[in-house]
Amino acid sequence: MSTRYLESLFNPASIAVVGASERADNLGGMVLRNLLSGGYPGRLLVVNRNDYDNVHGIPCVKKVSGMAFSPDLAIICTPPETVGKTIRRLGEAGVRTAIVMTGGMSRTHSKTGTPLMYSVREAAKETGIRVLGPNTIGLMVPARSLNATYAHMGVLPGRVAFVGQSGTIASSVIDWAFARGVGFSYFLTLGDGMDIDHDDLIDYLAQDTQTRAILLHIEHIPNARRFMSAVRVASRTKPVIAVKSGRVPESEWLPHELPDGIKRSDPIYDAMLQRAGVLRVDGLGQMFDALETLTRMRPLRRESLAIMANGVGPGVLAVDRLADLGGQLASLSESSINGLAELLPSYWTRKNPIDLNYDASPELYGKAIKILAKDPEIANVLVMYAPSLTEDSLQIADAVVQAAKGTRLNIFTCWLGQSTVMESREEFYRAGLPSFFNPEKAVVAFMQHIRHQRVQRLLTETPESFTDHFSDHTKTRRVAVNALKAGRNHLSSQEARAVVRDYGVNTIETVYCNDVEEVMGAFAIERRPVDVTIVHEQGCHPFANLTVAQRRYKGTLQKLNSEAAIIDGCRFLMEEYEKHFPTSGFVGFAMQRSYQHVGGIEFSVGITRDAQFGPLVVCGASGAHINVMTDRQIALPPLNMVLARELLRRTYMYKLLKEHSLKPEADIRAVSETLVTLSQIVIDIPEILGLEISPLLFNDQGAVAVNVAINLSETPGRPIIQPYPRELEEWLVLPKSGRRVIIRPALAEDEPSHRVFHELQSPESIRYRFFQYRKHFTREDVAQMVQIDYDREMVFIANAPREDGKGDETLGTVRTWTDADNLQCEFAVMVHDKMKGEGLGISLMQKMIDYCRARGTVEMVGNVLADNRPMLQLAEHMGFEIKYNVEEEVMDLRLVLNEPKNDWQKERLGKGAH
């Protein structure tokens, strides 16, 4: 993951086109013609082994070695077998970036039998050149008059970036966007993505001030962890909208090896994109509709919708689609109803949707909007119009535009039809109001806005505290390690129960017996009805892929209340086992007391592991196989209570729990706590390959695991989202007060104490930290401070028990933001005013310096107000270089942590020649 040399790709001062000729069908010639017709202002050169004097008037040399200068960018359009050598020669000649447009390299093989596209990766790695492609359509940057593609037309300038994978889809997007007036800051496709990938480009675009939104077309994601880290950062600052093609196995570009318990890969992508804050849409049309609302509408204050039209039909279509998507109609206030009644016929319905009548005039539209603008219950209005003989659509459009000005409403429009309403749509476009061709598309786009806002809100919600991040479960992990050493790839049923029980999950009290005689002995002690289950090796594995006959297998008998019943029951269970699982080793019997007061709606929860996306948390129905697979929902660990509730909310069983449970809120919390616990188990014990609790039932104490199965792998599983780094916790005792303080990474649950910490600071301390006076911090402000991606940011907080004994308080904090290349991190530090003289600032800074140095960051930088003497003294003490920045009127601080290893690092940091 690196933005190294991407500036040379997107803003090249010079370009060489390798393989261009004047033949009409020559790929390089097409690219060169596009560069020339687009008005590219930089220096151009052609490389062609036919030794032309020039190609389309551009000087030509025969070989790369014959170039009189090293261009910033080379565009390669030569046969597949020549590409690897060409890239190597370009890299050795000092060329920084290359675009490989040559196709077919994934299907054309070298002498060793490997596809030729891998020679591109090897050459790039060996020489340091960055490569886009092979099999890419190329790159367009309209603001820089750069059209380095073979596309049939250019794109309009704009503030939207498009990153695709398919050249043919990109060609259709170009056409589509031009017709809709959508412009781009950057437009490119990855092709086979042998070097430059989604994550590199997303990192670059996240920092680009000219890009307001990012559109992604995804066929596959080679490195899920890198992608997740990059897109989580980007989605915090600008909308990221994605189309993922290959939703079913038949259409997948690369076959996806499915983990146990999952039947399709698409829900995994859904879970990942949602967790990253990305809005996923179903196609290119929805992508541009979503772009329309996300970039032109204000944030939604409410999620309900008011609808008005000059007829009943359009409103009914809109309401039907809204209901299908789970949307909500707004309720009109009495004041709005009375106001509209003065304008409309006596027979109007007096409710939403509002029928303005076939002959609705521009004045009526304007007055109706103004009435709704005064209604505190109305925040979003869909205004529709169907062509009419009595009124002019453009005049009505103008009235809507004028009425929308100065209101707090989110107004979007739908002018139905085509030939007579195009000018009206143009009017809305110029006014910045989203406009759609039909009611269904308008409602879908509105609901996408809601989904995006919910996802963003979900990522900043403060979870209630539940997981004890500071507990030690070393002994429990040893159970898994010892099983692997013994040559087992699973835990016994008894061991699996012990693992979840150690983490606080209630289990059914169970006695394990080796044979019928031991069952009889255990029953003699109990002397009450018991349930007996036969235990065999295949049953100790989670997510068993059973045949239809095996699903009919009866492995448990309930309410056995005599010795004779137990003997007969055990004989029956053995017969069933031998019939359905003849190759599965017999383990013994498990006996449980009947009537343990467990019941309720049955859930299946667990952990599975995907080769690409790492551990996954699953939740859904237990019972019949078809119900389990239909309802199973997926989330990425680590989970907190907010994320766990969201995972549960997506299941059908959640609806049943809400409707039929006697204690719905308590049961919802119990399932959510179990999901968070499972998430923590797989982080603490990465050897777990799969874990299934089925069923999960309920008793007076909460959720109860009835059956537990755990699979193991010698290869540890690693979540693609870095979990809480417990190893960075550190305790110290303050020298003056003697208070015991923990310095640890921040958690989302720290938001309340962190907000109090900021609100108790003096105005001067706040000015020193934020470069301005701030009296108030919203919950969202502080949530963003503590809900961090440990891959890119680090926040250490100093926490201690409050002196009045009422919980903990934050005494200080230090944070860094690190760039994608791990070259530079920017720091900020603040200590509670009452902690002055305790040396806490030094302790926090030293911990952060040690952390950044250990992860290989090259230098730490910061800005400090010139009158902030305490911070400047601290920086001097820590060895920072301090300089006055005349332009910004601040002090620039810089500390070298590690020496740069490469020339490009030195250049980026200003230490080497260009």
Side-chain angles (χ1 to χ4, degrees):
M1 180 162 48
S2 175
T3 59
R4 174 173 58 89
Y5 294 154
L6 290 192
E7 188 61 27
S8 296
L9 175 72
F10 289 121
N11 190 19
S14 52
I15 299 175
V17 183
V18 184
S21 75
E22 293 188 4
R23 277 198 348 261
D25 61 347
N26 176 265
L27 181 61
M30 296 178 199
V31 175
L32 186 59
R33 289 197 296 274
N34 274 346
L35 284 166
L36 293 170
S37 62
Y40 172 67
R43 193 174 178 184
L44 288 171
L45 178 68
V46 172
V47 180
N48 191 307
R49 63 184 180 182
N50 289 324
D51 200 19
Y52 301 117
D53 290 333
N54 65 76
V55 175
H56 293 305
I58 301 302
C60 177
V61 296
K62 187 174 182 179
K63 297 180 179 179
V64 169
S65 58
M67 297 188 304
F69 63 95
S70 293
D72 285 341
L73 171 63
I75 301 171
I76 301 172
C77 308
T78 61
E81 60 274 10
T82 67
V83 172
K85 289 181 180 178
T86 302
I87 289 174
R88 186 170 275 104
R89 288 170 183 156
L90 288 165
E92 291 168 351
V95 179
R96 295 176 173 181
T97 56
I99 298 176
V100 180
M101 294 189 175
T102 305
M105 295 187 69
S106 62
R107 298 183 296 274
T108 309
H109 291 69
S110 66
K111 293 178 182 178
T112 62
T114 55
L116 282 173
M117 64 181 183
Y118 292 109
S119 66
V120 172
R121 179 179 290 167
E122 291 168 12
K125 190 174 182 179
E126 290 171 12
T127 62
I129 189 173
R130 300 304 309 274
V131 178
L132 179 67
N135 198 27
T136 170
I137 196 175
L139 164 72
M140 291 192 226
V141 187
R144 293 166 186 163
S145 301
L146 175 62
N147 181 357
T149 71
Y150 58 80
H152 62 295
M153 62 187 295
V155 296
L156 298 169
R159 304 193 68 182
V160 177
F162 177 85
V163 179
Q165 283 191 280
S166 163
T168 49
I169 285 181
S171 293
S172 65
V173 169
I174 291 169
D175 227 271
W176 201 333
F178 188 87
R180 299 179 72 153
V182 176
F184 295 93
S185 54
Y186 303 92
F187 190 99
L188 70 156
T189 65
L190 293 168
D192 295 326
M194 286 293 99
D195 175 37
I196 294 172
D197 210 342
H198 275 115
D199 47 272
D200 305 310
L201 298 170
I202 291 168
D203 276 324
Y204 182 91
L205 297 170
Q207 301 170 44
D208 182 67
T209 57
Q210 299 307 306
T211 298
R212 286 183 55 199
I214 301 173
L215 307 181
L216 302 175
H217 168 236
I218 301 167
E219 290 178 342
H220 69 109
I221 297 173
N223 191 312
R225 185 183 179 91
R226 283 173 20 186
F227 177 88
M228 174 63 90
S229 182
V231 81
R232 286 179 80 196
V233 172
S235 68
R236 284 187 172 193
T237 58
K238 54 192 72 175
V240 181
I241 305 170
V243 171
K244 165 64 176 71
S245 53
R247 300 177 70 101
V248 295
E250 292 80 3
S251 64
E252 283 182 326
W253 189 68
L254 289 174
H256 190 108
E257 184 182 345
L258 294 170
D260 292 339
I262 305 294
K263 294 300 182 186
R264 291 170 52 235
S265 64
D266 196 61
I268 303 176
Y269 281 93
D270 250 349
M272 183 199 65
L273 293 171
Q274 177 173 319
R275 185 68 178 271
V278 175
L279 174 62
R280 182 181 181 180
V281 294
D282 287 339
L284 298 176
Q286 284 194 15
M287 174 182 278
F288 285 107
D289 290 342
L291 178 68
E292 187 94 345
T293 55
L294 290 181
T295 57
R296 290 172 175 263
M297 287 176 71
R298 305 183 188 100
L300 304 178
R301 293 182 295 108
R302 293 176 178 272
E303 294 188 352
S304 56
L305 179 64
I307 300 168
M308 66 166 66
N310 63 334
V312 174
V316 170
L317 287 174
V319 172
D320 283 346
R321 195 70 181 110
L322 189 68
D324 288 344
L325 297 172
Q328 180 185 353
L329 267 179
S331 298
L332 302 178
S333 68
E334 201 61 37
S335 174
S336 295
I337 292 172
N338 293 334
L340 291 167
E342 295 178 7
L343 306 174
L344 300 174
S346 58
Y347 52 79
W348 86 285
T349 60
R350 301 179 68 85
K351 65 179 183 179
N352 185 18
I354 303 163
D355 174 14
L356 298 179
N357 240 17
Y358 179 77
D359 59 352
S361 65
E363 293 77 19
L364 178 56
Y365 269 90
K367 289 177 180 178
I369 289 172
K370 288 180 179 177
I371 288 171
L372 295 181
K374 296 175 183 177
D375 191 331
E377 298 298 313
I378 305 297
N380 313 295
V381 182
L382 169 59
V383 181
M384 294 192 287
Y385 170 81
S388 160
L389 186 64
T390 60
E391 299 296 339
D392 181 271
S393 77
L394 187 58
Q395 290 181 1
I396 293 179
D398 186 60
V400 171
V401 169
Q402 296 305 316
K405 290 179 180 177
T407 75
R408 54 178 181 73
L409 295 175
N410 261 319
I411 292 178
F412 58 112
T413 68
C414 172
W415 256 225
L416 289 86
Q418 187 74 24
S419 58
T420 63
V421 298
M422 293 306 293
E423 283 188 78
S424 302
R425 292 200 186 115
E426 286 295 321
E427 176 75 10
F428 291 131
Y429 178 78
R430 287 191 293 270
L433 294 180
S435 186
F436 301 92
F437 283 72
N438 59 58
E440 294 86 353
K441 288 172 75 70
V443 171
V444 167
F446 172 69
M447 290 304 296
Q448 285 167 344
H449 198 337
I450 288 176
R451 278 176 48 219
H452 182 260
Q453 200 158 292
R454 283 176 182 170
V455 168
Q456 292 292 319
R457 190 165 57 238
L458 188 71
L459 298 180
T460 59
E461 279 191 26
T462 303
E464 54 188 296
S465 182
F466 165 66
T467 306
D468 185 355
H469 297 272
F470 317 115
S471 299
D472 184 6
H473 297 281
T474 307
K475 290 182 180 178
T476 305
R477 183 183 179 188
R478 204 170 293 136
V479 172
V481 173
N482 290 340
L484 287 169
K485 285 181 179 177
R488 290 190 286 137
N489 66 351
H490 67 278
L491 297 183
S492 68
S493 179
Q494 194 168 359
E495 290 169 330
R497 288 172 188 273
V499 167
V500 299
R501 194 163 51 241
D502 183 59
Y503 277 82
V505 177
N506 298 321
T507 59
I508 295 286
E509 191 175 320
T510 305
V511 178
Y512 290 91
C513 307
N514 292 316
D515 50 35
V516 178
E517 286 72 23
E518 288 190 15
V519 177
M520 296 285 290
F523 175 71
I525 296 171
E526 286 290 339
R527 286 296 170 190
R528 68 181 79 184
V530 296
D531 302 338
V532 178
T533 300
I534 192 165
V535 182
H536 58 92
E537 286 187 358
Q538 192 170 337
C540 293
H541 292 267
F543 310 112
N545 191 14
L546 304 179
T547 65
V548 174
Q550 286 173 334
R551 288 180 205 139
R552 300 192 185 109
Y553 155 75
K554 190 170 181 63
T556 300
L557 294 178
Q558 297 178 325
K559 303 174 186 175
L560 304 181
N561 59 4
S562 68
E563 292 183 359
I566 287 175
I567 293 171
D568 291 342
C570 289
R571 184 185 302 117
F572 171 80
L573 291 175
M574 285 296 292
E575 290 171 357
E576 282 285 289
Y577 148 68
E578 289 169 352
K579 175 183 176 182
H580 293 288
F581 299 96
T583 61
S584 178
F586 173 73
V587 176
F589 295 96
M591 190 186 81
Q592 301 165 341
R593 289 199 309 270
S594 302
Y595 309 111
Q596 291 197 37
H597 303 292
V598 295
I601 292 166
E602 296 186 3
F603 279 86
S604 168
V605 298
I607 298 289
T608 188
R609 189 197 297 179
D610 184 82
Q612 186 175 348
F613 293 93
L616 306 170
V617 183
V618 297
C619 176
S622 182
H625 179 75
I626 185 134
N627 294 339
V628 172
M629 300 316 300
T630 301
D631 195 38
R632 183 161 283 159
Q633 300 296 315
I634 300 170
L636 302 177
L639 296 182
N640 56 37
M641 287 294 283
V642 168
L643 297 170
R645 283 177 180 269
E646 170 58 22
L647 169 59
L648 175 59
R649 189 193 62 78
R650 286 189 269 127
T651 67
Y652 177 71
M653 301 307 287
Y654 173 82
K655 299 178 180 66
L656 296 183
L657 202 62
K658 292 279 285 185
E659 292 172 7
H660 301 293
S661 171
L662 297 176
K663 301 179 295 180
E665 286 307 316
D667 288 349
I668 288 168
R669 179 179 174 85
V671 178
S672 301
E673 287 177 351
T674 305
L675 293 170
V676 175
T677 299
L678 295 180
S679 162
Q680 192 62 42
I681 288 174
V682 80
I683 289 166
D684 291 347
I685 312 175
E687 292 82 6
I688 290 178
L689 180 65
L691 185 161
E692 183 181 19
I693 297 175
S694 183
L696 183 76
L697 295 173
F698 303 91
N699 65 11
D700 291 341
Q701 279 72 49
V704 181
V706 177
N707 298 314
V708 186
I710 294 178
N711 262 4
L712 303 173
S713 169
E714 292 183 350
T715 305
R718 188 185 183 200
I720 63 171
I721 300 172
Q722 185 176 332
Y724 175 78
R726 185 182 304 174
E727 68 278 4
L728 296 175
E729 296 169 3
E730 176 185 344
W731 289 91
L732 58 88
V733 176
L734 299 180
K736 285 177 64 178
S737 63
R739 294 182 71 179
R740 194 163 182 260
V741 174
I742 184 173
I743 298 180
R744 60 168 176 80
L747 291 160
E749 292 90 334
D750 290 319
E751 180 265 318
S753 64
H754 214 66
R755 183 153 33 127
V756 172
F757 166 70
H758 282 83
E759 289 173 350
L760 291 178
Q761 294 292 79
S762 67
E764 200 68 359
S765 293
I766 293 295
R767 184 178 72 87
Y768 283 157
R769 167 63 180 85
F770 296 99
F771 288 30
Q772 61 181 342
Y773 291 110
R774 290 184 64 174
K775 292 183 178 180
H776 180 65
F777 292 86
T778 66
R779 192 201 63 77
E780 289 76 14
D781 290 337
V782 182
Q784 290 211 346
M785 296 180 190
V786 294
Q787 296 192 10
I788 63 171
D789 180 352
Y790 297 118
D791 269 332
R792 299 295 187 91
E793 303 171 72
M794 181 50 70
V795 177
F796 290 124
I797 64 170
N799 256 30
R802 289 168 55 96
E803 292 177 307
D804 59 9
K806 297 178 180 178
D808 291 343
E809 64 176 330
T810 300
L811 301 178
T813 175
V814 61
R815 68 175 53 242
T816 52
W817 302 264
T818 305
D819 64 39
D821 299 298
N822 199 27
L823 286 181
Q824 203 173 63
C825 64
E826 184 177 353
F827 81 92
V829 62
M830 185 162 65
V831 175
H832 202 296
D833 289 335
K834 67 182 180 182
M835 288 291 106
K836 300 296 190 287
E838 290 277 18
L840 189 55
I842 293 175
S843 297
L844 286 166
M845 281 298 299
Q846 190 60 58
K847 185 167 183 66
M848 186 61 82
I849 288 168
D850 292 344
Y851 166 76
C852 293
R853 184 173 280 134
R855 74 190 301 266
T857 310
V858 176
E859 67 179 32
M860 180 180 285
V861 298
N863 301 122
V864 176
L865 292 175
D867 63 339
N868 188 352
R869 294 306 308 162
M871 185 61 231
L872 291 172
Q873 289 170 3
L874 173 60
E876 188 175 357
H877 175 80
M878 306 302 293
F880 279 83
E881 173 188 314
I882 303 174
K883 289 184 179 179
Y884 182 65
N885 185 324
V886 178
E887 188 175 326
E888 300 289 335
E889 297 182 341
V890 296
M891 308 301 290
D892 287 342
L893 276 54
R894 175 177 164 272
L895 178 68
V896 175
L897 303 174
N898 294 286
E899 285 301 316
K901 297 177 181 178
N902 310 102
D903 289 341
W904 72 269
Q905 292 179 324
K906 295 175 184 177
E907 180 182 324
R908 182 82 69 82
L909 295 171
K911 297 179 181 178
H914 183 76

